[in-house]
Amino acid sequence: MTSEPTGPAESGAPDTVALARIVARQRAEMDRLRDQAATSAVLERAKGAVMALTGCSPDAAGEELSQRAKTAHHTLLEECWITLGGLAPSAPTAAADAPERDAVVHTLRDPDDAHDLGRLGRALVRIGTPQDLARCLLEHLTPSTEPDAVMIFARLPAGGLELVGHAGIDDTLAAQWRQVPPLSGIAAFDALRDGQPRWLEDIETDRERYLLIGDPPERWLSRAWIPVVTKDRADVCIGVLRARGGRFTPAVREHLLAVARLCAGRLRSFAPRREPSTDAAVDAVQTVFDALPGSTMLLTPLRTPSGEVEDYRIEAATEEAFDALGRTGRDLLGLRLLECFPTLAGEPLWEGCRHTLATGETYEGEPFAQQAVVEGVAELSTYSVRITPLGGALAVSWLRHDSSDRQEQRLADVQRLGNLGWANWNLITHDVSWSSQVYTVLDRDPAAGPVRLTALRDLAVPEDAPALTHAVGELVRRGRPCSMPFRIRATDGIRHLRIVAETVTDVHGTPIEVHGFLQDLTAQRSAELALMESEQAIVTQHDVLRAERSLAARLQHALLPLPTRPVQAAGLQVEVAYLPAQSGIHVGGDWFSAIELPNGDALFVVGDVAGHGIDAVANMAQLRFTAKGMVITGSSLTGALARLNTLLLHSRGTHGTATMVLARYSPDGHRLVWAQAGHPPPLLLRDGEPRYLDRPGGMLLGASSAPHFQEAECVLEPGDRLLLYTDGLVERPSEGIDRGFKRLADAVVTHHSDAPGSLGPMLADLLEGDLRDDVCVVDIRVPFADL
């Protein structure tokens, strides 16, 4: 360990920078001594093994190990582990050899670990690439380590990382992590920066500190990132990923650290090189590139053993060439393209390189935005890429578009998007210049050339020519600005155009030049005409609907007059309420009848015709009067329903459906006989307890040519209250019918009163303004004095 004295800082406080340097130097020295001690321990054990087996001296054992390493092209550490690994017997050995082997094995801290490292050392001899190393580690790490994947990252000169080897992960994930820019929150970076391993053993805590590899990250619940020291610095990091969570035991940690030291020598032998090519032709090209303006690179493809292009090496670059990390010019030489642009794989530029290599055709890319340093200032510029084949290499040029190019492109975009074009007419020289969009607007062949300002009238339809001639004359003679719509005949029909122009005058105020634009407003004018037609149709339809509403309302009031107060029928007190869902043409088909028959009985009817409007009112009137007539003439309730069903089926033009309840009350015996056709049952309130009457059989009117209807009987008692109603009172779209029945029953109990006029307040509280359908209610009460 070394140190150096430090003098006081000029300000009287310790020089923190100097102290930091001392601490860093001491830490590096401690790491070096620790590695040296570990290496020495392995060397001494290997020398002891050789001495036990051959009986030689310590110096001879050391020389023997060195000679073996030199012959096999191993490092001394690798040879030591190979020697120790061969000591653990895998099969019965001769009795004469056993004492010596056992003696050596017992001198080791963990004979099994020595055997595993020796086996790994022998396997390392046969590998030739970092990718082979990753596969070898996954195969030969001890079972107690439980590895599921291995990743090997190498530090790049610019500070990023490159995945040089992997095993146990798919190619898609490997491609995503092939190039890692120098970001924070990467465990491998921290391990290389500090020279200390990172043990990630709790995924919930680790995901808050690091960006975890994996899709999803829970694929590996624990990870170890171990720096490998080569040439006195850690440039390579080995990652061991495990599907099992939990801590790495001390024995596993010690084994992984030993594996990292064992791999150091092999990694040095095939460490990736980033030096630029020393080929004379390439140097000559770079000399030419140094004198070229703009941003251009010369790329040579790097291929896999199967011939696939996996990356490109930058052999030459101009001074203005740059990458995503801000490196420029010669700093890029020898680097890979994916190092400079990590997200390039799969992008159009990458595909363009592949296309040019395969076909030899020049590639022209679409413009794109890229931030770059222009004259010392970072700005967002627009570029396009051109890729040209050059022998077996590619010349890639980034062409920056200056402001005038961008302005011209923007002007062209405005003309195209606005469907307009500019035009200039010189009144002195009679020169005319049009933009290309004017020819499109006027549907004119560019080969025919532009026309004079006064000749525009010849292009207009005859009806618009006089007004256009007058406006152009005022513009030319008096310099009055012109904004004039006119029409022309084009191949696709009549076009609606507009000319907007003004003059440039001389010092005397005489117009000498006219400039302006012509715009195609056909789409806008078509939309305006369509809107006007639609508005006119709406007005017409509104008048029709208003007339229909007035007619339907008058019909309904004429056909279904509402009593203003409770009525008496067969000794019963009857109150009626009708609440339409909405005003307008949607007059509904709900209806009622409450009459006393000639024989003293009472007839109560509540019905609901499907639909709204005139047709519904017509069906309602037909059913209402027919039902009363049939019952008055002696027809039974079920017979009346059957005949009404036939009537609906055979009605011309107004065929529909309806529901209905027919009830006949006889004062003698206080019997209520009723039948129904697909209608909700009446609600009976007796002694404060509500219940719905059991429905007899009966189906919707107009739904079948052979319906079946039944009657039911109920004896009413003094104080009873019976409600006949339509389904609008109990049905709501957001709930079931059973809930509506319960809500009605609760409301009848809560608002029960013998006083007249209590039906209205009950309905107002029950409906709460949420009236989605017409509601018709017949409220029948049996007075106490009736019996």
Side-chain angles (χ1 to χ4, degrees), residues 469-687:
T469 300
H470 175 74
V472 170
E474 290 294 303
L475 174 69
V476 172
R477 290 189 298 270
R478 301 184 182 182
R480 292 183 178 178
C482 171
S483 179
M484 178 70 187
F486 65 99
R487 293 168 294 170
I488 66 171
R489 293 189 181 277
T491 54
D492 55 355
I494 297 295
R495 289 189 182 180
H496 295 263
L497 308 183
R498 179 177 62 146
I499 179 173
V500 178
E502 63 181 7
T503 60
V504 177
T505 61
D506 59 13
V507 294
H508 304 293
T510 303
I512 60 174
E513 189 175 68
V514 173
H515 57 255
F517 66 85
L518 288 98
Q519 185 175 19
D520 186 354
L521 300 177
T522 304
Q524 177 181 337
R525 184 59 179 163
S526 299
E528 291 174 354
L529 293 175
L531 180 60
M532 291 175 59
E533 293 176 0
S534 177
E535 290 176 348
Q536 184 62 40
I538 291 174
V539 171
T540 303
Q541 184 68 15
H542 182 268
D543 294 339
V544 173
L545 296 180
R546 182 168 55 185
E548 184 177 347
R549 178 192 66 182
S550 177
L551 175 60
R554 288 199 301 269
L555 280 174
Q556 188 177 50
H557 288 307
L559 299 174
L560 191 65
L562 291 174
T564 58
R565 59 183 180 178
V567 297
Q568 299 289 330
L572 303 177
Q573 180 177 311
V574 182
E575 187 174 354
V576 178
Y578 176 76
L579 302 175
Q582 52 185 312
S583 60
I585 68 163
H586 298 289
V587 179
D590 288 21
W591 55 278
F592 68 92
S593 284
I595 62 173
E596 187 170 314
L597 301 176
N599 63 354
D601 290 353
L603 174 66
F604 303 105
V605 186
V606 170
D608 184 1
V609 175
H612 294 81
I614 297 296
D615 290 342
V617 173
N619 282 336
M620 177 267 289
Q622 188 179 40
L623 293 177
R624 182 171 186 264
F625 292 112
T626 303
K628 290 195 300 181
M630 289 180 179
V631 176
I632 290 175
T633 57
S635 177
S636 66
L637 300 182
T638 56
L641 289 175
R643 291 180 176 86
L644 292 174
N645 181 77
T646 303
L647 180 64
L648 278 180
L649 287 175
H650 296 282
S651 296
R652 289 182 174 271
T654 59
H655 172 65
T657 59
T659 65
M660 185 183 300
V661 167
L662 287 174
R664 184 167 185 163
Y665 174 73
S666 300
D668 298 335
H670 312 290
R671 295 172 56 251
L672 180 78
V673 179
W674 67 288
Q676 63 86 28
H679 203 85
L683 173 63
L684 175 65
L685 179 66
R686 174 175 293 171
D687 298 329

Side-chain angles (χ1 to χ4, degrees), residues 123 425 719 746 765 786:
W425 289 274
D746 293 341
D765 183 69
D786 185 56

Side-chain angles (χ1 to χ4, degrees), residues 456-476:
L456 281 179
R457 64 178 181 270
D458 299 331
L459 303 179
V461 298
E463 297 83 358
D464 295 344
L468 181 60
T469 300
H470 175 74
V472 170
E474 290 294 303
L475 174 69
V476 172

Side-chain angles (χ1 to χ4, degrees), residues 190-526:
D190 287 357
L192 290 175
R193 183 185 64 249
D194 301 336
Q196 298 295 329
R198 289 293 184 270
W199 310 99
L200 280 60
E201 300 165 324
D202 183 353
I203 191 168
E204 297 302 327
T205 303
D206 297 333
R207 72 167 72 243
E208 297 177 0
R209 300 174 53 199
Y210 297 112
L211 178 62
L212 300 181
I213 297 174
D215 186 15
E218 292 79 7
R219 178 179 176 183
W220 297 296
L221 298 179
S222 58
R223 307 141 191 263
W225 293 99
I226 306 161
V228 180
V229 178
T230 60
K231 297 183 180 179
D232 298 329
R233 61 171 291 180
D235 286 326
V236 178
C237 188
I238 297 177
V240 178
L241 291 72
R242 305 191 305 179
R244 183 181 69 84
R247 297 181 59 83
F248 290 86
T249 64
V252 170
R253 291 190 179 193
E254 182 179 356
H255 176 72
L256 292 177
L257 292 174
V259 168
R261 289 193 294 269
L262 181 60
C263 294
R266 178 53 61 188
L267 286 170
R268 280 198 302 269
S269 66
F270 48 68
R273 298 185 178 275
R274 298 293 177 193
E275 294 80 8
S277 172
T278 58
D279 186 87
V282 174
D283 290 341
V285 171
Q286 180 57 48
T287 303
V288 175
F289 271 46
D290 288 337
L292 291 178
S295 176
T296 304
M297 296 179 184
L298 179 65
L299 307 179
T300 57
L302 302 177
R303 301 182 183 272
T304 63
S306 62
E308 294 291 330
V309 176
E310 63 177 1
D311 208 339
Y312 300 86
R313 184 173 60 246
I314 302 175
E315 302 289 4
T318 61
E319 186 63 31
E320 295 183 20
F322 61 92
D323 72 348
L325 301 179
R327 295 168 294 196
T328 59
R330 286 181 172 263
D331 293 337
L332 302 171
L333 303 187
L335 299 179
R336 294 191 176 192
L337 190 60
L338 290 179
E339 289 182 47
C340 301
F341 302 96
T343 62
L344 188 61
E347 295 296 321
L349 175 59
W350 185 267
E351 297 302 324
C353 290
R354 296 181 58 181
H355 175 77
T356 301
L357 271 181
T359 64
E361 299 175 356
T362 298
Y363 169 80
E364 298 281 352
E366 294 292 331
F368 63 94
Q370 173 72 40
Q371 182 170 326
V373 177
V374 180
E375 296 181 356
V377 179
E379 66 176 31
L380 191 65
S381 300
T382 302
Y383 291 85
S384 61
V385 175
R386 180 184 178 89
I387 304 174
T388 306
L390 187 60
L394 300 175
V396 181
S397 300
W398 281 261
L399 307 177
R400 187 170 69 90
H401 303 285
D402 58 25
S403 57
S404 62
D405 293 337
R406 292 196 297 272
Q407 292 295 341
E408 184 175 345
Q409 182 61 43
R410 290 169 184 168
L411 179 59
D413 291 341
V414 169
Q415 293 185 79
R416 175 178 52 81
L417 296 174
N419 205 4
L420 56 86
W422 58 263
N424 285 338
W425 289 274
N426 191 302
L427 303 180
I428 306 299
T429 64
H430 303 294
D431 291 333
V432 182
S433 60
W434 285 358
S435 69
S436 59
Q437 193 67 25
V438 173
Y439 294 96
T440 302
V441 169
L442 293 175
D443 193 27
R444 183 176 177 84
D445 185 358
V451 300
R452 292 187 178 185
L453 184 60
T454 55
L456 281 179
R457 64 178 181 270
D458 299 331
L459 303 179
V461 298
E463 297 83 358
D464 295 344
L468 181 60
T469 300
H470 175 74
V472 170
E474 290 294 303
L475 174 69
V476 172
R477 290 189 298 270
R478 301 184 182 182
R480 292 183 178 178
C482 171
S483 179
M484 178 70 187
F486 65 99
R487 293 168 294 170
I488 66 171
R489 293 189 181 277
T491 54
D492 55 355
I494 297 295
R495 289 189 182 180
H496 295 263
L497 308 183
R498 179 177 62 146
I499 179 173
V500 178
E502 63 181 7
T503 60
V504 177
T505 61
D506 59 13
V507 294
H508 304 293
T510 303
I512 60 174
E513 189 175 68
V514 173
H515 57 255
F517 66 85
L518 288 98
Q519 185 175 19
D520 186 354
L521 300 177
T522 304
Q524 177 181 337
R525 184 59 179 163
S526 299

